[in-house]
Amino acid sequence: MITIYHYLLLGAVLFSIGLYGAVSKKNAIAVLMGIELMLNSVNINLVAFNRFLTPDAVTGFIFTIFVIVVAAAEVAVALALVVKVYRERLTSNVDEIDWLKW
Amino acid sequence: MNGTLEPLFFWLISAVIVLSALAVVFMKNIVHSALFLIVTFVGMAGIYALLQADFIAAVQILVYAGAIAILIVFAVMLTRRGDIRASNPFNGYAIIASLACLAFLVVTVSMIFNSGFEIVESVGKSVVEPLAIAMMGDFVISFEVAALLLLEALVGAIILARGVKKEQ
């Protein structure tokens, strides 16, 4: 029998993997991939909460759709930034992008 | 969903998702990471289908596996430099980060098991119709704001990537 705890555990494991990718990679695009994994694991949690706790409401699904919208907007702008930075500095290594460092 | 087959599908899809998510982080070639990211997204659509969220599963395939993954592959293509076989290195914080993430996982799992959820039994039904009614009713302001946000992101991404022409 699959309960809500299975889905929450899956979400927690995926969030940790995404967090690890986001903080431990050098390439800015790999960091973005980690952030996408984290957003997706949150979506699994929201859908599982909606299905198991309040099956008659659709609030969790609405939140999931808005998370997907924000993630799409975020990844579009972030990748445009990465391409722009690459043109200026010929690198996508987050350690070398230090224009704002004083 | 058939009650006897649901655990089988759940464990199968979960194994695929977790292994491909680990591959996203640990692959040395960033193109392989991007391709495993697509596998992860498609597996998550399977999880949504298991949870009887049919519309979310379709949106997941369309937006994540369709649009975002292609965008990431294009960004990899436009910023490639040096040896592609070692294009996805770790930075100096790999070990500390792994310890921190393991600690985070332990805390989250203990919190999950200490939380008492009251499960409400229900029969699965399609979510498209109630979703549309809620989206155009209670959540119509957020719906319009999301439309504006997408427009802003579109214009911002184009201006950032293409640059602004100077007036003569």
Side-chain angles (χ1 to χ4, degrees), chain A residues 10, chain B residues 10-20:
Chain A
L10 177 65
Chain B
F10 176 81
W11 291 115
L12 210 64
I13 297 175
S14 303
V16 169
I17 292 178
V18 171
L19 288 179
S20 56

Side-chain angles (χ1 to χ4, degrees), chain B residues 144-157:
Chain B
E144 297 295 340
V145 170
L148 264 181
L149 177 73
L150 281 178
L151 179 69
E152 272 167 32
L154 186 71
V155 174

Side-chain angles (χ1 to χ4, degrees), chain A:
Chain A
M1 185 62 196
I2 301 297
T3 61
I4 185 171
Y5 294 102
H6 293 79
Y7 290 103
L8 295 186
L9 276 180
L10 177 65
V13 170
L14 280 174
F15 193 94
S16 302
I17 295 172
L19 184 65
Y20 182 54
V23 297
S24 73
K25 301 304 274 192
K26 251 184 181 171
N27 194 324
I29 299 171
V31 173
L32 276 174
M33 288 184 196
I35 293 172
E36 291 302 315
L37 279 178
M38 286 157 75
L39 287 165
N40 264 291
S41 65
V42 171
N43 282 350
I44 289 182
N45 273 14
L46 288 174
V47 173
F49 280 137
N50 196 152
R51 179 53 74 193
F52 286 101
L53 301 185
T54 58
D56 294 325
V58 288
T59 319
F61 298 137
I62 299 262
F63 264 79
T64 307
I65 289 175
F66 284 130
V67 168
I68 290 176
V69 168
V70 173
E74 170 252 330
V75 82
V77 173
L79 289 177
L81 275 174
V82 170
V83 171
K84 180 78 176 171
V85 167
Y86 181 80
R87 263 195 228 140
E88 302 270 330
R89 285 230 167 165
L90 285 182
T91 182
S92 56
N93 181 349
V94 285
D95 294 338
E96 293 171 31
I97 304 171
D98 52 1
W99 283 315
L100 286 180
K101 204 187 248 175
W102 198 18

